[in-house]
mmCIF file with all atom_site columns, all heavy atoms in Angstrom:
data_model
loop_
_atom_site.group_PDB
_atom_site.id
_atom_site.type_symbol
_atom_site.label_atom_id
_atom_site.label_alt_id
_atom_site.label_comp_id
_atom_site.label_asym_id
_atom_site.label_entity_id
_atom_site.label_seq_id
_atom_site.pdbx_PDB_ins_code
_atom_site.Cartn_x
_atom_site.Cartn_y
_atom_site.Cartn_z
_atom_site.occupancy
_atom_site.B_iso_or_equiv
_atom_site.pdbx_formal_charge
_atom_site.auth_seq_id
_atom_site.auth_comp_id
_atom_site.auth_asym_id
_atom_site.auth_atom_id
_atom_site.pdbx_PDB_model_num
ATOM 1  N N   . ILE A 1 197 ? -21.075 38.787 -68.491 1.00 0.00 ? 197 ILE A N   1
ATOM 2  C CA  . ILE A 1 197 ? -19.774 38.129 -68.333 1.00 0.00 ? 197 ILE A CA  1
ATOM 3  C C   . ILE A 1 197 ? -18.716 39.021 -68.970 1.00 0.00 ? 197 ILE A C   1
ATOM 4  O O   . ILE A 1 197 ? -18.805 39.372 -70.152 1.00 0.00 ? 197 ILE A O   1
ATOM 5  C CB  . ILE A 1 197 ? -19.764 36.739 -68.982 1.00 0.00 ? 197 ILE A CB  1
ATOM 6  C CG1 . ILE A 1 197 ? -20.827 35.844 -68.328 1.00 0.00 ? 197 ILE A CG1 1
ATOM 7  C CG2 . ILE A 1 197 ? -18.384 36.094 -68.850 1.00 0.00 ? 197 ILE A CG2 1
ATOM 8  C CD1 . ILE A 1 197 ? -20.952 34.472 -68.960 1.00 0.00 ? 197 ILE A CD1 1
ATOM 9  N N   . TRP A 1 198 ? -17.705 39.375 -68.176 1.00 0.00 ? 198 TRP A N   1
ATOM 10 C CA  . TRP A 1 198 ? -16.664 40.297 -68.621 1.00 0.00 ? 198 TRP A CA  1
ATOM 11 C C   . TRP A 1 198 ? -15.323 39.575 -68.691 1.00 0.00 ? 198 TRP A C   1
ATOM 12 O O   . TRP A 1 198 ? -14.953 38.838 -67.778 1.00 0.00 ? 198 TRP A O   1
ATOM 13 C CB  . TRP A 1 198 ? -16.548 41.480 -67.654 1.00 0.00 ? 198 TRP A CB  1
ATOM 14 C CG  . TRP A 1 198 ? -17.855 42.148 -67.364 1.00 0.00 ? 198 TRP A CG  1
ATOM 15 C CD1 . TRP A 1 198 ? -18.684 41.918 -66.305 1.00 0.00 ? 198 TRP A CD1 1
ATOM 16 C CD2 . TRP A 1 198 ? -18.507 43.141 -68.161 1.00 0.00 ? 198 TRP A CD2 1
ATOM 17 N NE1 . TRP A 1 198 ? -19.800 42.710 -66.373 1.00 0.00 ? 198 TRP A NE1 1
ATOM 18 C CE2 . TRP A 1 198 ? -19.729 43.469 -67.508 1.00 0.00 ? 198 TRP A CE2 1
ATOM 19 C CE3 . TRP A 1 198 ? -18.182 43.786 -69.351 1.00 0.00 ? 198 TRP A CE3 1
ATOM 20 C CZ2 . TRP A 1 198 ? -20.613 44.416 -68.011 1.00 0.00 ? 198 TRP A CZ2 1
ATOM 21 C CZ3 . TRP A 1 198 ? -19.062 44.735 -69.864 1.00 0.00 ? 198 TRP A CZ3 1
ATOM 22 C CH2 . TRP A 1 198 ? -20.254 45.036 -69.190 1.00 0.00 ? 198 TRP A CH2 1
ATOM 23 N N   . SER A 1 199 ? -14.595 39.821 -69.763 1.00 0.00 ? 199 SER A N   1
ATOM 24 C CA  . SER A 1 199 ? -13.245 39.284 -69.918 1.00 0.00 ? 199 SER A CA  1
ATOM 25 C C   . SER A 1 199 ? -12.242 40.390 -69.603 1.00 0.00 ? 199 SER A C   1
ATOM 26 O O   . SER A 1 199 ? -12.276 41.457 -70.232 1.00 0.00 ? 199 SER A O   1
ATOM 27 C CB  . SER A 1 199 ? -13.029 38.773 -71.345 1.00 0.00 ? 199 SER A CB  1
ATOM 28 O OG  . SER A 1 199 ? -13.879 37.681 -71.625 1.00 0.00 ? 199 SER A OG  1
ATOM 29 N N   . GLY A 1 215 ? -11.591 45.429 -68.711 1.00 0.00 ? 215 GLY A N   1
ATOM 30 C CA  . GLY A 1 215 ? -12.642 44.433 -68.702 1.00 0.00 ? 215 GLY A CA  1
ATOM 31 C C   . GLY A 1 215 ? -13.713 44.786 -69.704 1.00 0.00 ? 215 GLY A C   1
ATOM 32 O O   . GLY A 1 215 ? -14.314 45.869 -69.615 1.00 0.00 ? 215 GLY A O   1
ATOM 33 N N   . THR A 1 216 ? -13.970 43.902 -70.684 1.00 0.00 ? 216 THR A N   1
ATOM 34 C CA  . THR A 1 216 ? -14.914 44.195 -71.744 1.00 0.00 ? 216 THR A CA  1
ATOM 35 C C   . THR A 1 216 ? -15.836 43.007 -72.010 1.00 0.00 ? 216 THR A C   1
ATOM 36 O O   . THR A 1 216 ? -15.550 41.876 -71.618 1.00 0.00 ? 216 THR A O   1
ATOM 37 C CB  . THR A 1 216 ? -14.187 44.541 -73.057 1.00 0.00 ? 216 THR A CB  1
ATOM 38 O OG1 . THR A 1 216 ? -13.382 43.419 -73.452 1.00 0.00 ? 216 THR A OG1 1
ATOM 39 C CG2 . THR A 1 216 ? -13.307 45.765 -72.886 1.00 0.00 ? 216 THR A CG2 1
ATOM 40 N N   . SER A 1 217 ? -16.934 43.291 -72.688 1.00 0.00 ? 217 SER A N   1
ATOM 41 C CA  . SER A 1 217 ? -17.861 42.276 -73.176 1.00 0.00 ? 217 SER A CA  1
ATOM 42 C C   . SER A 1 217 ? -18.396 42.790 -74.496 1.00 0.00 ? 217 SER A C   1
ATOM 43 O O   . SER A 1 217 ? -19.046 43.843 -74.544 1.00 0.00 ? 217 SER A O   1
ATOM 44 C CB  . SER A 1 217 ? -19.019 42.059 -72.199 1.00 0.00 ? 217 SER A CB  1
ATOM 45 O OG  . SER A 1 217 ? -19.947 41.132 -72.717 1.00 0.00 ? 217 SER A OG  1
ATOM 46 N N   . ALA A 1 218 ? -18.096 42.053 -75.594 1.00 0.00 ? 218 ALA A N   1
ATOM 47 C CA  . ALA A 1 218 ? -18.434 42.521 -76.938 1.00 0.00 ? 218 ALA A CA  1
ATOM 48 C C   . ALA A 1 218 ? -17.778 43.891 -77.144 1.00 0.00 ? 218 ALA A C   1
ATOM 49 O O   . ALA A 1 218 ? -16.580 44.030 -77.023 1.00 0.00 ? 218 ALA A O   1
ATOM 50 C CB  . ALA A 1 218 ? -19.939 42.568 -77.127 1.00 0.00 ? 218 ALA A CB  1
ATOM 51 N N   . GLU A 1 219 ? -18.569 44.922 -77.377 1.00 0.00 ? 219 GLU A N   1
ATOM 52 C CA  . GLU A 1 219 ? -18.015 46.254 -77.621 1.00 0.00 ? 219 GLU A CA  1
ATOM 53 C C   . GLU A 1 219 ? -18.091 47.155 -76.396 1.00 0.00 ? 219 GLU A C   1
ATOM 54 O O   . GLU A 1 219 ? -17.709 48.319 -76.445 1.00 0.00 ? 219 GLU A O   1
ATOM 55 C CB  . GLU A 1 219 ? -18.762 46.923 -78.783 1.00 0.00 ? 219 GLU A CB  1
ATOM 56 C CG  . GLU A 1 219 ? -18.672 46.177 -80.103 1.00 0.00 ? 219 GLU A CG  1
ATOM 57 C CD  . GLU A 1 219 ? -17.237 46.035 -80.585 1.00 0.00 ? 219 GLU A CD  1
ATOM 58 O OE1 . GLU A 1 219 ? -16.457 46.992 -80.413 1.00 0.00 ? 219 GLU A OE1 1
ATOM 59 O OE2 . GLU A 1 219 ? -16.901 44.969 -81.121 1.00 0.00 ? 219 GLU A OE2 1
ATOM 60 N N   . GLU A 1 220 ? -18.578 46.621 -75.295 1.00 0.00 ? 220 GLU A N   1
ATOM 61 C CA  . GLU A 1 220 ? -18.807 47.446 -74.106 1.00 0.00 ? 220 GLU A CA  1
ATOM 62 C C   . GLU A 1 220 ? -17.659 47.304 -73.116 1.00 0.00 ? 220 GLU A C   1
ATOM 63 O O   . GLU A 1 220 ? -17.166 46.203 -72.870 1.00 0.00 ? 220 GLU A O   1
ATOM 64 C CB  . GLU A 1 220 ? -20.116 47.041 -73.432 1.00 0.00 ? 220 GLU A CB  1
ATOM 65 C CG  . GLU A 1 220 ? -20.520 47.957 -72.287 1.00 0.00 ? 220 GLU A CG  1
ATOM 66 C CD  . GLU A 1 220 ? -21.884 47.584 -71.719 1.00 0.00 ? 220 GLU A CD  1
ATOM 67 O OE1 . GLU A 1 220 ? -22.478 46.614 -72.222 1.00 0.00 ? 220 GLU A OE1 1
ATOM 68 O OE2 . GLU A 1 220 ? -22.333 48.263 -70.787 1.00 0.00 ? 220 GLU A OE2 1
ATOM 69 N N   . THR A 1 221 ? -17.246 48.411 -72.558 1.00 0.00 ? 221 THR A N   1
ATOM 70 C CA  . THR A 1 221 ? -16.199 48.410 -71.528 1.00 0.00 ? 221 THR A CA  1
ATOM 71 C C   . THR A 1 221 ? -16.850 48.543 -70.153 1.00 0.00 ? 221 THR A C   1
ATOM 72 O O   . THR A 1 221 ? -17.622 49.472 -69.909 1.00 0.00 ? 221 THR A O   1
ATOM 73 C CB  . THR A 1 221 ? -15.209 49.566 -71.743 1.00 0.00 ? 221 THR A CB  1
ATOM 74 O OG1 . THR A 1 221 ? -14.555 49.398 -73.005 1.00 0.00 ? 221 THR A OG1 1
ATOM 75 C CG2 . THR A 1 221 ? -14.158 49.578 -70.642 1.00 0.00 ? 221 THR A CG2 1
#
Side-chain angles (χ1 to χ4, degrees):
I197 300 177
W198 309 96
S199 296
T216 60
S217 177
E219 299 300 322
E220 187 175 1
T221 298

